[in-house]
Amino acid sequence: MRNPERIDKFCSKLAEYWKEVPDWRFGQLMSNVLGSMASEGRDPFFPEEDEMIEYFKKYFEQNT
């Protein structure tokens, strides 16, 4: 079984990034980040949470 503690850690980090763009709705946030991933050829269905956070980090470094 995968560690359920990863969920709180991920959600906390997600909140930090979302607060950088508080006017965005959740769907906008996810569409923008996942669209960026897809444009790099990465299917967002497969990354583990730590890799997903790296995509958020990269997106926000390049776009905010």
Side-chain angles (χ1 to χ4, degrees):
M1 178 177 179
R2 296 175 65 211
N3 184 355
E5 295 298 316
R6 77 189 195 290
I7 297 169
D8 290 334
K9 181 179 175 185
F10 177 81
C11 289
S12 176
K13 197 66 180 169
L14 174 65
E16 289 179 29
Y17 285 114
W18 195 359
K19 287 178 182 180
E20 291 187 31
V21 288
D23 291 332
W24 289 7
R25 292 174 300 278
F26 181 73
Q28 287 176 287
L29 174 67
M30 297 308 293
S31 290
N32 289 337
V33 174
L34 298 180
S36 177
M37 285 178 69
S39 72
E40 294 179 7
R42 185 67 165 123
D43 186 335
F45 185 81
F46 296 103
E48 296 289 339
E49 287 77 17
D50 58 341
E51 184 181 354
M52 189 64 78
I53 288 299
E54 287 301 314
Y55 276 103
F56 273 87
K57 179 181 177 184
K58 182 178 178 181
Y59 178 85
F60 278 87
E61 286 174 348
Q62 294 176 348
N63 296 287
T64 58

